[in-house]
Amino acid sequence: MPLSFGQVLKGALLAGLLAAIVVAAFQFVATEPLMEQAINLETQRHLADGSYEPPLLSRDAQRAGLFIGFLIYGGSWALLFAAVFTIGQRWLPGSSAAARGAWLAALCFWALALLPALRYPANPPGVGDPDTINTRQALFLAVLAIGIVGSIVTLALNQVLIRRGATPRRRLLVGGGMIVVCTALVLIAMPPTVDMVGTPADLIMRFRAFSLGGLALFWLVLGSGFALFVRRAQAAASLAPPRSSVSVSRS
């Protein structure tokens, strides 16, 4: 039984907000101590060269903003997820709505999180030249565009192969090959950024690992939560008694 847009939207929002809370808690425990270390190191450098300026927000306010920001992040991506799923679910692989939702979440993780992180990973404070921030943002957006276009082409190829009667294994191989090609294109063709590093390498690597892990956790929880809601909604719909029609005869 096909789901209405209202059901899809409700499931995506619930899953997205749950994912946001889980990831915010994860980042608070795993990444926040690293942020504190990086900020302290950056403050010491600015104090040494006389360029220190007090932050606009205190660290307590920034910690509270972590949860608020992730709630906004989760709700925004949930809305987009619901819209994309509703419009393009017939293009998605999978024999059920839950499976198609899980595949969409996996594709979103690759295009929106993993692919950019492979070329331009997240950095803690104190890493990166402030004068090149516009260039780095443009490069990051270019990688996002490649990931989105690659995802659309992958889904289109899947539809073509379905019409030609290709086996699921062949469709999976072609789709995986397309993802590998896009990943290689990003790693080879996109220029590197020269970061101004004043932070220990170990801290940077741990920060990047936890940042990517948080994104993976976000899409895992969103995809799993959405699939669970879809299954429950369809099961409830199948158990609901059919509506009886009452006919009125005129004498």
Side-chain angles (χ1 to χ4, degrees):
M1 179 180 180
L3 297 172
S4 66
F5 177 70
Q7 290 175 309
V8 171
L9 181 60
K10 180 180 178 181
L13 281 174
L14 289 175
L17 293 178
L18 174 62
I21 294 172
V22 171
V23 175
F26 170 80
Q27 297 290 18
F28 183 80
V29 173
T31 309
E32 184 61 25
L34 301 178
M35 287 282 291
E36 188 72 30
Q37 294 179 41
I39 290 173
N40 289 337
L41 290 172
E42 186 180 25
T43 300
Q44 292 172 10
R45 287 195 302 270
H46 289 312
L47 287 173
D49 61 21
S51 62
Y52 175 75
E53 295 182 3
L56 297 177
L57 295 175
S58 66
R59 288 296 296 143
D60 289 337
Q62 292 177 24
R63 293 186 185 98
L66 173 71
F67 286 87
I68 297 173
F70 267 109
L71 287 175
I72 297 173
Y73 178 89
S76 301
W77 279 119
L79 290 173
L80 288 173
F81 184 91
V84 172
F85 181 86
T86 302
I87 295 171
Q89 60 177 309
R90 66 183 183 86
W91 285 38
L92 293 167
S95 57
S96 65
R100 290 191 289 272
W103 274 110
L104 178 59
L107 200 56
C108 286
F109 167 68
W110 169 76
L112 304 174
L114 180 60
L115 189 62
L118 289 175
R119 193 58 175 141
Y120 305 119
N123 287 324
V127 178
D129 187 352
D131 295 333
T132 64
I133 187 170
N134 291 331
T135 301
R136 287 184 279 126
Q137 288 178 345
L139 292 173
F140 185 85
L141 291 175
V143 175
L144 284 181
I146 293 173
I148 292 172
V149 172
S151 300
I152 294 173
V153 172
T154 300
L155 294 177
L157 285 175
N158 182 63
Q159 280 296 109
V160 171
L161 293 174
I162 288 176
R163 291 171 185 167
R164 294 183 177 180
T167 63
R169 180 182 179 184
R170 183 182 177 189
R171 299 202 307 268
L172 184 62
L173 288 174
V174 172
M178 186 64 197
I179 289 175
V180 170
V181 168
C182 289
T183 303
L185 175 65
V186 166
L187 294 177
I188 295 172
M190 296 300 294
T193 58
V194 180
D195 292 323
M196 181 179 62
V197 180
T199 306
D202 176 64
L203 192 153
I204 294 174
M205 295 306 297
R206 283 188 291 154
F207 181 87
R208 290 175 174 177
F210 285 137
S211 297
L212 181 58
L215 292 174
L217 183 60
F218 175 82
W219 288 108
L220 175 63
V221 175
L222 192 152
S224 302
F226 180 77
L228 178 61
F229 176 84
V230 165
R231 291 194 188 98
R232 295 187 65 175
Q234 291 181 325
S238 64
L239 294 175
R243 295 181 178 179
S244 58
S245 58
V246 179
S247 60
V248 179
S249 61
R250 294 182 179 179
S251 57

